[in-house]
Amino acid sequence: MALFGTNGVRGIVNEYITPELAVNLARSLGTYMGSKGTVAIGCDTRISGQMLKFATISGALSTGLTVIDVGTVPTPSIQYYVRDHADAGIVITASHNPRQYNGIKFIAGDGSEFSRDGEKDIEKIYYAGKYSIVSWEKTGNFSNDPGVNEYYLKNIINSVNAEAIRSRRFKVVVDTGCGAGSLTLPFLLSKLGCQVLTLEAQPDGTFPWRNPEPLPEALTELTKLVKITGADMGAAHDGDADRVVLIDENGKFINAEVLLAMMAKYILEHDKGPIVTPVSSSQRMADIAKDADIKLYWTAVGSINVARKMMEVNAVFGGEGNGGLIFPKHQYCRDGAMACVMVLEILANGKKISDLAKSVPEYFNAKTKVPSKNIQATMEIVKQEASGLGFKIDTTDGIKIWYEDGWVLIRPSGTEPILRVFAEAKTQDRTEELMQEGLNMVKRAEKVSICE
Ligand code: MG
């Protein structure tokens, strides 16, 4: 069984994600690292965070690794720290998953997410159960570093036009969902001269008000507060703050595909170079790349694929249409706080965020999921049917069909027995039509695959 999903090892606490699993995964990492080097270990605000963090610390020390406990941290904060101060990292987080979940994710020495090959090697060691346990006098050294979030914030401030942002005295309403971003985003914005109003900014692993996933329907209080207070913008994180979603000054949720595209447009105005995004992202990115006369690279879904491609092609920007934006001059991973502050940098010239959102090409997007009993066979049949349509097909991840006036993407989920169907076109009606075509294709294929 594959241990690692799209984003580390995830599951329900004390059912799948247990202290034993945490100890042995950390021992696997220590074995993989040849019992040499320093690993930074931190967690988000989930209730089980401390339990799992101390189990991984114990496992890592038993293999002779030096451990730095970095406490409660957003994922991008520990990633930044690992890049500068450690040889690897472990973060205990289940990102946007519901309350009962937690997860264990490895960070490579350069601060990026662990490579898929690295994860496979760790998996082999884990299943073989042969760990490099050191003798008593060689068990690892342990220390704390309470300054990790401070270090991270200082570096974000140094990466943006802080003076321009400060001069505007922005009013921003922040909903960090009681997640790890509660320890960073409100403080970061204050340091940048903003008037900050907070909702759910107390770290609390019971997530008393909303799930860690910042969906529009979970952010009704935030949208109301932005409107009532006349704020310039609202911002919300997922549980580990590698993503951010924004609310405009009228209390309207900004489509995360629009956020991605408006950031790409801004970056390309100042720094020409390739950009990278997964095949599930909007055509807006392709239009912007065309206007700027630069190359756009489409990758498989998953931020690690985007980040690795960005390194390979020396991209100036990349990201996903879910609020996960990557700024390579800062670091090669999704960073919610950095994305939020970069938007303020754009707004510093006097624009309103609603105008900024309108400045990118308009498209309509739809996304849904269908359960599948036989994913591989169904995908094979969908592929055959799609190839017969006479349109351009992309098989980077699942099957993307480029119609003349829009596209449909059908791809298997990395973690569940479902197929995801995406559609995009210039009008709402056409998007719905394309979505229906995609769904019909899946249903027909599913019937055939079950009969076979
Ligand atoms: Mg996340």
Side-chain angles (χ1 to χ4, degrees):
M1 197 183 91
L3 208 52
F4 290 88
T6 319
N7 265 299
V9 183
R10 293 247 182 107
I12 294 176
V13 172
N14 275 354
E15 288 182 17
Y16 183 63
I17 303 291
T18 60
E20 291 85 348
L21 173 78
V23 167
N24 287 333
L25 272 173
R27 282 174 162 167
S28 305
L29 177 70
T31 307
Y32 173 82
M33 292 172 71
S35 293
K36 274 195 233 52
T38 299
V39 58
I41 303 183
C43 59
D44 67 14
T45 60
R46 287 170 192 271
I47 291 173
S48 55
Q50 302 299 320
M51 171 183 91
L52 296 165
K53 185 183 76 177
F54 287 114
T56 54
I57 289 174
S58 183
L61 293 172
S62 74
T63 61
L65 293 182
T66 299
V67 173
I68 305 172
D69 179 356
V70 298
T72 307
V73 283
T75 299
S77 173
I78 183 172
Q79 286 182 286
Y80 200 89
Y81 184 79
V82 169
R83 192 189 81 162
D84 291 355
H85 298 289
D87 303 304
I90 302 176
V91 58
I92 310 296
T93 179
S95 184
H96 62 275
N97 285 149
R99 298 164 178 83
Q100 64 273 32
Y101 282 78
N102 214 334
I104 297 163
K105 187 170 159 162
F106 293 131
I107 300 163
D110 63 1
S112 68
E113 294 170 73
F114 227 67
S115 71
R116 295 276 183 244
D117 287 345
E119 286 180 344
K120 277 191 196 130
D121 289 342
I122 300 265
E123 216 164 83
K124 269 189 213 148
I125 298 167
Y126 175 85
Y127 282 122
K130 286 187 185 143
Y131 309 116
S132 310
I133 304 297
V134 296
S135 58
W136 67 271
E137 77 279 19
K138 288 185 181 143
T139 53
N141 287 321
F142 173 81
S143 62
N144 286 289
D145 191 338
V148 175
N149 288 333
E150 196 64 32
Y151 180 71
Y152 165 66
L153 295 188
K154 204 173 94 193
N155 282 289
I156 291 181
I157 293 169
N158 288 339
S159 305
V160 297
N161 189 346
E163 277 324 299
I165 296 170
R166 281 197 187 103
S167 70
R168 285 292 310 278
R169 312 274 310 151
F170 288 112
K171 188 192 273 188
V172 186
V173 189
V174 164
D175 175 347
T176 46
C178 299
S182 308
L183 298 167
T184 46
L185 189 60
F187 303 99
L188 173 64
L189 296 178
S190 293
K191 284 173 194 285
L192 286 167
C194 300
Q195 188 186 343
V196 187
L197 292 98
T198 59
L199 270 170
E200 312 184 74
Q202 76 283 19
D204 184 346
T206 65
F207 302 112
W209 298 105
R210 68 163 169 94
N211 254 329
E213 169 99 83
L215 296 171
E217 53 270 30
L219 303 174
T220 49
E221 295 303 312
L222 174 63
T223 51
K224 262 191 247 163
L225 205 59
V226 170
K227 251 170 116 172
I228 293 167
T229 58
D232 297 290
M233 187 174 95
H237 276 318
D238 68 331
D240 66 332
D242 56 351
R243 296 197 278 134
V244 73
V245 295
L246 302 176
I247 309 294
D248 77 12
E249 75 282 3
N250 305 310
K252 204 173 142 237
F253 186 87
I254 295 178
N255 178 341
E257 296 285 357
V258 171
L259 169 63
L260 176 69
M262 68 193 210
M263 188 58 74
K265 192 169 175 236
Y266 176 72
I267 302 266
L268 289 172
E269 280 164 12
H270 298 84
D271 197 4
K272 288 237 170 182
I275 57 172
V276 180
T277 201
V279 285
S280 53
S281 288
S282 167
Q283 177 66 18
R284 291 174 182 95
M285 289 291 271
D287 291 0
I288 283 162
K290 200 175 162 205
D291 283 350
D293 198 23
I294 56 97
K295 180 143 176 71
L296 164 69
Y297 291 89
W298 299 103
T299 68
V301 174
S303 54
I304 175 79
N305 301 315
V306 177
R308 298 269 154 184
K309 190 69 176 176
M310 286 175 68
M311 290 178 193
E312 184 193 318
V313 303
N314 204 10
V316 296
F317 177 68
E320 308 169 307
N322 61 4
L325 275 50
I326 305 173
F327 302 89
K329 282 187 180 164
H330 170 53
Q331 59 174 345
Y332 279 101
C333 65
R334 297 184 292 196
D335 194 320
M338 180 68 188
C340 181
V341 173
M342 279 298 291
V343 170
L344 293 181
E345 181 182 301
I346 309 177
L347 298 181
N349 64 11
K351 272 188 199 133
K352 285 186 173 155
I353 190 165
S354 61
D355 293 331
L356 205 62
K358 278 185 222 140
S359 73
V360 298
E362 194 176 17
Y363 284 91
F364 292 83
N365 300 83
K367 198 181 346 183
T368 191
K369 53 185 177 185
V370 210
S372 175
K373 292 203 175 79
N374 194 349
I375 287 184
Q376 245 185 337
T378 302
M379 284 305 291
E380 212 36 63
I381 294 161
V382 167
K383 195 171 167 184
Q384 277 169 21
E385 189 181 332
S387 309
L389 293 172
F391 298 112
K392 196 177 103 189
I393 306 282
D394 183 324
T395 55
T396 306
D397 189 350
I399 292 149
K400 189 170 183 177
I401 310 160
W402 295 92
Y403 293 81
E404 274 151 15
D405 56 349
W407 57 264
V408 174
L409 168 69
I410 300 162
R411 62 173 291 271
S413 151
T415 47
E416 298 165 86
I418 55 170
L419 291 171
R420 296 191 191 281
V421 186
F422 304 73
E424 185 182 66
K426 274 282 182 192
T427 66
Q428 184 73 44
D429 286 352
R430 183 60 181 148
T431 304
E432 279 165 24
E433 256 175 51
L434 287 177
M435 174 53 85
Q436 205 48 55
E437 283 200 34
L439 285 174
N440 290 343
M441 222 182 276
V442 171
K443 277 179 199 154
R444 281 194 295 272
E446 185 77 10
K447 255 189 205 158
V448 178
S449 79
I450 288 167
C451 293
E452 270 171 353

